[in-house]
């Protein structure tokens, strides 16, 4: 398994599951064409691209290229890398029939092929020294409680205030919010925002 700095965006959950066996990084699903109307997810992808870079890895069929081209126009191209899977014909194990074009998608690719696609795209592989240098102490669920962002009657309103201050979607689940906070901000920044939100 390789650790990379960039976040990766894929089409669906099976793609995410296949990729999670190859890389250690944040993987976000577009939910197919759902990304076209999901402004909050698009805002999250822009934040991730700005904070750590983004790799687009979609299927090699027509639908995959429609999604890829949409993201190409919606996110600053300087922050995005594009990884491509080769045209391999066949069918994924979980499916009864091949796709319309007969090509395997991201989920049907081997680990080696996925890793090669990412390396060809120019991902930043973190070695142990870089990882330790870049490491920061993560925010915990206990700290979110202590700052009033969970477990209290006014926690939902305080969470919305925090997410607005950080430019993140207000509908994020608590777990998604915690993951995003640890990627996009520091413990000190969150503590300062918490102190500024009236009780």
């Amino acid at each position: 398994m390789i650790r990379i700095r960039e976040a990766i965006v894929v089409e669906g959950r099976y793609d995410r599951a296949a990729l999670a066996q190859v890389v250690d990084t944040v993987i976000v699903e577009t939910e197919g064409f759902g990304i076209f109307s999901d402004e909050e997810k698009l805002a999250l992808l822009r934040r991730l691209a700005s904070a750590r870079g983004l790799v687009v890895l979609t299927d090699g069929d027509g639908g995959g290229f429609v999604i890829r081209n949409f993201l190409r126009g919606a996110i600053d191209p300087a922050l995005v890398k594009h990884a491509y899977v080769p045209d391999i014909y066949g069918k994924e194990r979980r499916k009864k029939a091949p796709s319309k074009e007969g090509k395997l998608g991201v989920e049907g690719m081997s680990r080696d092929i996925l890793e090669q696609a990412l390396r060809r795209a120019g991902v930043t592989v973190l070695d142990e020294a870089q990882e330790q240098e870049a490491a920061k102490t993560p925010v915990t669920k206990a700290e979110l409680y202590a700052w009033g962002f969970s477990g209290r009657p006014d926690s939902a309103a305080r969470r919305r205030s925090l997410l607005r201050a950080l430019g993140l979607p207000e509908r994020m689940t608590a777990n998604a919010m915690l993951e995003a906070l640890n990627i996009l901000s520091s413990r000190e920044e969150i503590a300062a925002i918490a102190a500024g939100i009236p009780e």
Side-chain angles (χ1 to χ4, degrees), residues 140-162:
T140 65
K141 287 185 178 183
E143 287 170 316
L144 291 182
Y145 174 80
W147 291 326
F149 296 121
S150 68
R152 299 186 187 172
D154 65 341
S155 292
R158 290 179 63 79
R159 270 195 313 274
R160 282 192 299 276
S161 296
L162 172 65

Side-chain angles (χ1 to χ4, degrees), residues 17-39:
L19 205 52
Q21 296 176 32
V22 178
V23 293
D24 181 6
T25 192
V26 176
I27 304 170
V28 180
E29 303 164 30
T30 66
E31 296 176 27
F33 295 139
I35 191 66
F36 298 162
S37 59
D38 193 339
E39 287 297 321

Side-chain angles (χ1 to χ4, degrees), residues 23-186:
V23 293
D24 181 6
T25 192
V26 176
I27 304 170
V28 180
E29 303 164 30
T30 66
E31 296 176 27
F33 295 139
I35 191 66
F36 298 162
S37 59
D38 193 339
E39 287 297 321
E40 290 187 345
K41 185 166 283 184
L42 193 54
L44 175 61
L45 290 175
R46 286 181 180 128
R47 284 292 305 270
L48 286 168
S50 178
R52 59 193 297 171
L54 187 69
V55 177
V56 177
L57 180 60
T58 58
D59 293 348
D61 60 6
F65 274 89
V66 168
I67 293 167
R68 182 184 296 277
N69 289 332
F70 172 78
L71 293 173
R72 192 184 307 268
I75 302 171
D76 181 355
L79 305 174
V80 180
K81 296 175 181 175
H82 290 271
Y84 298 90
V85 293
D87 285 343
I88 298 176
Y89 291 87
K91 113 183 152 49
E92 282 86 4
R93 279 184 239 162
R94 70 177 179 87
K95 295 181 179 176
K96 292 182 180 178
S99 69
K100 185 177 177 182
E101 294 181 26
K103 299 176 185 177
L104 292 176
V106 171
E107 70 172 282
M109 297 293 155
S110 71
R111 292 180 184 190
D112 288 341
I113 289 173
L114 290 173
E115 183 176 340
Q116 288 170 15
L118 292 170
R119 287 185 184 276
R120 278 194 310 270
V123 297
T124 308
V125 178
L126 302 173
D127 65 18
E128 294 301 318
Q130 288 174 318
E131 207 168 81
Q132 290 171 0
E133 182 179 299
K136 59 182 179 182
T137 308
V139 174
T140 65
K141 287 185 178 183
E143 287 170 316
L144 291 182
Y145 174 80
W147 291 326
F149 296 121
S150 68
R152 299 186 187 172
D154 65 341
S155 292
R158 290 179 63 79
R159 270 195 313 274
R160 282 192 299 276
S161 296
L162 172 65
L163 291 168
R164 267 194 306 272
L166 294 171
L168 293 170
E170 293 181 13
R171 291 186 184 179
M172 293 181 89
T173 65
N175 286 337
M177 180 185 80
L178 183 61
E179 183 178 27
L181 293 178
N182 282 318
I183 294 167
L184 301 171
S185 59
S186 66

